[in-house]
Amino acid sequence: MAEAFAWHEKLIERRGHDYDPRIRTRIARGREMTAAEYIRLVDARADFIRRFDTETEGFDALVMPTVPITAPPIAAFTRDEDYARLNLKLLRNTAIVNFLDRCALTLPIEAPSAAPVGLMVVGRLGEDRRLLAIGRGIETLLEGARTHAV
């Protein structure tokens, strides 16, 4: 939040009315983070990334749902408390990948006439080309499975 606030501060002063109020409020929370809190968070994040990288070193990629629930209708986001709860839940899987400084892609894997479902494939920092090749391989396998299932 502190980084987002530092980046958006002047823009919000000039054009805050152009921001979604919920997003503007979330960004503004970064104003309250102290330098000491920020430094502790950066250090803890670096340690977490190091430990996660060590634990997953032997894997080509991590595979998980892009979002943990079926997308709710827009009407479910009307109240602020519902928005906060649903937004956190919907962003849970992608947010941790971002926090870990990893690259990721999502592949549509839903059956015909079904609700959209994404398969997130997560690679290591700086290995975008390798991740894209893995994603293409998964797509090829899925296309073959769909062709034979018809």
Side-chain angles (χ1 to χ4, degrees), residues 55-67:
E55 287 293 319
T56 60
E57 193 170 2
F59 297 99
D60 294 320
L62 305 174
V63 179
M64 65 187 78
T66 304
V67 295

Side-chain angles (χ1 to χ4, degrees), residues 48-79:
F48 184 54
I49 290 169
R50 180 191 54 73
R51 289 184 291 120
F52 190 85
D53 286 351
T54 299
E55 287 293 319
T56 60
E57 193 170 2
F59 297 99
D60 294 320
L62 305 174
V63 179
M64 65 187 78
T66 304
V67 295
I69 61 172
T70 302
I74 295 293
F77 293 86
T78 305
R79 296 181 355 195

Side-chain angles (χ1 to χ4, degrees), residues 2 23 29-30 62 72 80 139:
I23 302 301
R29 288 188 195 125
L62 305 174
D80 286 344
E139 273 186 328

